[in-house]
Amino acid sequence: MPRDLVRGLTALLAAVAVPLVVCVLLLPVRGTLSHTNVALILMLVVATVAALSYRWVAVLAALSAAVWFVFFFTAPYGSFIRFDRTDESVTAGLLLVVGLAVSQLARRYTRQNAIATTLQRSLLPHVLPDTSAVRPAFRYVPAEAEVGGDWFDVIPLPGFRTALVIGDVVGHGLHSAVTMGRLRTAVRNFSTLDLPPDELLARLDEVVNQMDVEAGAGQDVNVAATCLYAIYDPVCRSCTMARAGHFPPAMVHPGGRVEILDLPEGPPLGLGGLRFQCVDRQLPEDTQLVLYTNGLVHNRYRDIGAGLKLLCDTLSGVGHDPEKTCEMILKAVLPARRVDDAALLIARTRAFPRDRIAEWDIPPIPAAVPALRAKVLAKLADWSMEETAFTTELILSELVTNAIRHAAPPVHLRLLRETNLVIEVSDGSSTSPHLRYAAEMDEGGRGIFLVAQLAERWGTRFTSTGKVVWAEQPAPSVPVAPVLASTV
């Protein structure tokens, strides 16, 4: 028999049998106790059950106690208000015991709620990175009762791209907070693989399913969560998005027009086996992307349509500062009675300056590499980055030669200059290079090892037409970050 079924049946029998046993034990002294004394004793029993078992078991025990009380101790109403000195002493003692039991329950609930709140706040980001792609702002407002599982994140990606994430774990309490932390950690780990949003959500869905498998029969309910994952590329000003049962993002155009993006919904996380769909959207510079959870726009006193309309009306009057936009949204849209927690993430997009980008199409012949090196060195001199010329020449020679010899055309080279210098070589093959440790007598196999030693970091990301192999190295003479086109 399954373990959860055994536990349920045991709790059911205890809820019915414990008040019955207490009533039977009180029958011999029935004449010395008033109905008030009996009721207080049964209250103590119910409070004990509530402290030691499930909430529904405590409710069932209260109903059982009421039924057995009527069955065994029904008497004229006057007995409820008839007291003597013995009754008064017993009643005072029982009131004290019940008060202690109730205070212990309240202390236990307060302690668990404090633990859940502290855990959740420690798992949420306290400061978001101000990247070359977006300028972010966020707000998190907990529910009035129990904490929930809302979460968000901003993750810098290679090539000066940025991932925007927001999600919501169904339910409240300590379990939801822990699940939220595990999902946020999983998203950060998957982001290092540089996956497109639909593939990342598919892997996150597997993580949720694995949580259910690990919990096994001891889990009361299955894990259910929603998530929205977006990647913004400031070089081409495109945003790739996918969502798993989450609300679609709102977009505030530079001119003030507000739009709820038409994004395929996708199933919530935890269903398993269903696919997610990506959507690419070109975003003008200074566009504000608004990501939010259901606690901001929906509760039992306001439907989703009214909440979204209020959000759009509020966004139509905001400026370009994400921090001020967050404040305006919380004042105008956040429900007065917060039955669920709410998370809000706003990102103002930036465009990568065109004068910090250099690109070349490479003929698929090894003889083209020397001429390409000369063009790259000239460009580095134009950018006043001669100190990086030696390592850049070695890295691009290796990456371009590998692409020509082992991959498929077209081969393309792109340099991105900002706080770091990024070298990207794209080709039409889906075969990824990997780091090898060549033996002393091997004639080859040291190229990627050399790149890994010279570059600050390197990696591969796959595209719809092939792959991009990139390497990143410091560029100390480059200004810190591009300035927003408009003044805040």
Side-chain angles (χ1 to χ4, degrees):
M1 184 178 294
R3 187 173 60 181
D4 57 345
L5 181 59
V6 173
R7 291 180 59 187
L9 292 176
T10 304
L12 177 64
L13 292 175
V16 176
V18 170
L20 173 61
V21 171
V22 173
C23 289
V24 171
L25 292 176
L26 293 177
L27 282 178
V29 293
R30 175 180 177 180
T32 62
L33 296 177
S34 70
H35 286 187
T36 304
N37 299 147
V38 177
L40 288 173
I41 293 174
L42 292 176
M43 286 173 56
L44 178 61
V45 172
V46 173
T48 305
V49 172
L52 299 178
S53 189
Y54 304 112
R55 184 181 302 173
W56 66 268
V57 175
V59 174
L60 185 59
L63 294 176
S64 174
V67 171
W68 296 125
F69 175 80
V70 173
F71 181 79
F72 287 105
F73 298 95
T74 299
Y77 176 75
S79 63
F80 280 99
I81 58 175
R82 184 177 65 251
F83 289 93
D84 56 24
R85 292 182 179 181
T86 304
D87 286 342
E88 291 174 355
S89 301
V90 174
T91 300
L94 290 175
L95 282 174
L96 176 61
V97 174
V98 171
L100 292 175
V102 173
S103 64
Q104 179 65 21
L105 287 175
R107 179 183 177 186
R108 178 182 178 186
Y109 171 79
T110 303
R111 183 170 178 267
Q112 288 183 346
N113 191 58
I115 292 174
T117 303
T118 303
L119 176 64
Q120 185 187 49
R121 291 192 177 277
S122 66
L123 294 174
L124 288 174
H126 299 283
V127 179
L128 296 181
D130 193 0
T131 68
S132 304
V134 297
R135 178 187 175 189
F138 71 93
R139 294 292 187 276
Y140 172 76
V141 182
E144 293 179 347
E146 293 182 292
V147 297
D150 291 11
W151 56 282
F152 56 90
D153 212 344
V154 174
I155 307 172
L157 298 177
F160 304 111
R161 296 166 304 131
T162 297
L164 306 172
V165 195
I166 194 164
D168 184 5
V169 178
V170 177
H172 297 86
L174 186 60
H175 179 265
S176 295
V178 172
T179 303
M180 174 272 294
R182 295 180 67 180
L183 292 183
R184 179 172 177 249
T185 302
V187 169
R188 278 202 160 259
N189 290 335
F190 290 145
S191 67
T192 60
L193 302 177
D194 217 340
L195 300 172
D198 56 341
E199 293 187 23
L200 185 139
L201 290 180
R203 298 201 180 194
L204 194 62
D205 184 57
E206 295 177 358
V207 171
V208 174
N209 290 328
Q210 186 62 33
M211 289 182 185
D212 291 335
V213 173
E214 291 175 355
Q219 185 70 32
D220 295 333
V221 294
N222 293 332
V223 177
T226 65
C227 184
L228 170 64
Y229 188 83
I231 298 177
Y232 175 68
D233 188 344
V235 178
C236 58
R237 291 182 297 177
S238 68
C239 187
T240 306
M241 299 166 281
R243 63 184 178 123
H246 203 82
F247 284 96
M251 184 173 72
V252 184
H253 292 262
R257 183 171 66 89
V258 181
E259 175 187 359
I260 300 293
L261 296 181
D262 185 13
L263 188 62
E265 182 175 1
L269 300 173
L271 296 184
L274 302 177
R275 65 184 298 266
F276 304 93
Q277 298 182 40
C278 274
V279 169
D280 291 328
R281 183 69 181 265
Q282 293 295 124
L283 303 183
E285 187 176 4
D286 291 335
T287 297
Q288 292 191 77
L289 278 177
V290 181
L291 285 64
Y292 51 92
T293 57
N294 63 343
L296 181 68
V297 297
H298 172 63
N299 64 9
R300 68 184 66 174
Y301 309 104
R302 183 176 65 193
D303 60 31
I304 297 175
L308 290 177
K309 184 179 184 304
L310 182 59
L311 175 64
C312 292
D313 293 342
T314 304
L315 289 173
S316 62
V318 300
H320 293 290
D321 186 0
E323 290 290 341
K324 293 181 180 178
T325 302
C326 285
E327 292 297 331
M328 292 181 63
I329 291 176
L330 290 188
K331 290 180 181 179
V333 183
L334 186 67
R337 299 185 62 181
R338 300 188 304 275
V339 296
D340 194 6
D341 52 344
L344 174 66
L345 175 62
I346 299 179
R348 180 183 173 188
T349 63
R350 293 166 166 161
F352 203 86
R354 300 307 302 177
D355 59 351
R356 298 184 182 181
I357 305 173
E359 299 182 89
W360 295 272
D361 291 323
I362 306 171
I365 53 175
V369 177
L372 179 65
R373 285 200 297 263
K375 295 178 182 178
V376 170
L377 294 177
K379 192 62 179 179
L380 293 179
D382 182 51
W383 284 345
S384 301
M385 298 179 63
E386 292 89 347
E387 67 271 23
T388 65
F390 178 72
T391 55
T392 301
E393 185 178 9
L394 292 177
I395 291 173
L396 77 88
S397 296
E398 179 59 35
L399 297 183
V400 171
T401 302
N402 276 352
I404 292 175
R405 290 181 175 177
H406 307 296
V411 180
H412 186 80
L413 171 65
R414 184 171 73 175
L415 300 182
L416 302 176
R417 164 194 175 237
E418 218 260 351
T419 52
N420 290 332
L421 177 65
V422 177
I423 305 170
E424 296 182 343
V425 178
S426 60
D427 57 64
S429 171
S430 59
T431 303
S432 175
H434 63 279
L435 184 63
R436 292 176 53 193
Y437 296 91
E440 294 182 0
M441 302 303 294
D442 291 345
E443 296 182 1
R446 298 177 177 84
I448 296 299
F449 178 79
L450 180 64
V451 171
Q453 295 299 311
L454 296 175
E456 192 173 66
R457 57 176 184 161
W458 74 281
T460 304
R461 71 173 179 269
F462 295 95
T463 65
S464 58
T465 58
K467 69 176 183 295
V468 176
V469 183
W470 56 271
E472 188 176 294
Q473 55 179 322
S477 63
V478 179
V480 173
V483 181
L484 290 172
S486 58
T487 304
V488 176

